[in-house]
Amino acid sequence: MKLKFSLLLLLLIFGISFSQSKVDLAAADKINQYADRIDKDSSRAKYTFEIPAKGKVIRYEYEKEGNDIVKMTRKWDENNEKYTDTYSDYFLLKNEAKVLALQSITYKNKSDATDIGGWNCKFWIKDDRVINMTSLGHGKTERDDWDYELELKENFSYMLKTVKNFDKKLSQKK
């Protein structure tokens, strides 16, 4: 009897997990469709600015549809002995909420500027929760202690605040 009950319970748990993953994959597919639409539309206003910070310059880019920010990116280089490490954060927004995020690090040899490797991770986000992610290369995803959801929330909040402050100053100049 215990075996039958355990099997039934296992099937129930598996069924719930499988149906949730199907829902998440469907949501990720909708996010991909939205991203494709945004990427194909070149009519949006595009802005770029730079902020010096602790021995580096952080370059921000963002795009707006009307008054809504739909994309924002920041990039910076860090010197690492023989290499230059390029860090990048990207967020796709819908109604001021993050729906897609990309993080990457590219390592370049300073002597010949050849990419020698890197890491990137793509996150699909729904209701402020990561529903799917993929990662390539060696990087943060290999660490057990990496709290990617917290890092995404902090990066997103900081970047959105920075972009909105710049955008506000820009609109006051007009």
Side-chain angles (χ1 to χ4, degrees):
M1 184 67 174
K2 283 186 178 181
L3 182 61
K4 287 183 182 180
F5 179 72
S6 296
L7 263 151
L8 182 61
L9 185 60
L10 186 64
L11 286 172
L12 179 65
I13 291 170
F14 179 73
I16 291 170
S17 297
F18 182 70
S19 66
Q20 182 60 41
S21 65
K22 283 178 66 173
V23 168
D24 289 344
L25 288 175
D29 189 47
K30 284 185 180 183
I31 293 168
N32 288 338
Q33 291 172 11
Y34 174 69
D36 287 344
R37 182 185 70 78
I38 294 295
D39 286 342
K40 289 177 184 173
D41 180 8
S42 60
S43 66
R44 283 182 311 284
K46 297 174 182 164
Y47 305 92
T48 302
F49 63 98
E50 293 180 341
I51 297 177
K54 295 181 185 174
K56 60 187 168 208
V57 176
I58 302 172
R59 179 181 176 88
Y60 284 83
E61 296 177 359
Y62 67 101
E63 297 181 16
K64 292 175 72 174
E65 264 185 358
N67 290 326
D68 295 332
I69 297 167
V70 293
K71 276 185 179 183
M72 59 183 184
T73 305
R74 70 177 174 184
K75 276 187 177 182
W76 69 95
D77 290 336
E78 290 188 8
N79 290 321
N80 186 1
E81 296 179 24
K82 297 179 187 176
Y83 307 103
T84 300
D85 303 341
T86 302
Y87 293 81
S88 178
D89 291 308
Y90 163 90
F91 288 98
L92 179 68
L93 293 75
K94 187 173 187 179
N95 302 323
E96 287 205 9
K98 59 187 176 296
V99 295
L100 187 69
L102 299 161
Q103 286 188 324
S104 68
I105 306 169
T106 304
Y107 309 106
K108 291 185 180 183
N109 190 328
K110 286 182 184 178
S111 64
D112 62 9
T114 303
D115 289 355
I116 60 161
W119 167 84
N120 67 61
C121 197
K122 186 173 185 177
F123 306 89
W124 290 263
I125 304 161
K126 181 179 178 188
D127 300 327
D128 209 27
R129 181 180 67 82
V130 173
I131 59 171
N132 195 14
M133 68 185 272
T134 61
S135 175
L136 298 172
H138 299 287
K140 299 178 196 181
T141 42
E142 295 177 341
R143 294 189 350 233
D144 292 333
D145 63 340
W146 183 42
D147 187 346
Y148 54 87
E149 286 193 333
L150 177 62
E151 185 174 313
L152 287 174
K153 286 177 187 178
E154 289 173 350
N155 287 348
F156 178 76
S157 295
Y158 183 81
M159 286 174 65
L160 187 59
K161 178 181 172 186
T162 303
V163 166
K164 282 185 169 185
N165 284 340
F166 176 83
D167 198 59
K168 183 178 178 182
K169 289 177 186 175
L170 188 64
S171 65
Q172 289 174 348
K173 288 181 182 179
K174 293 180 180 179

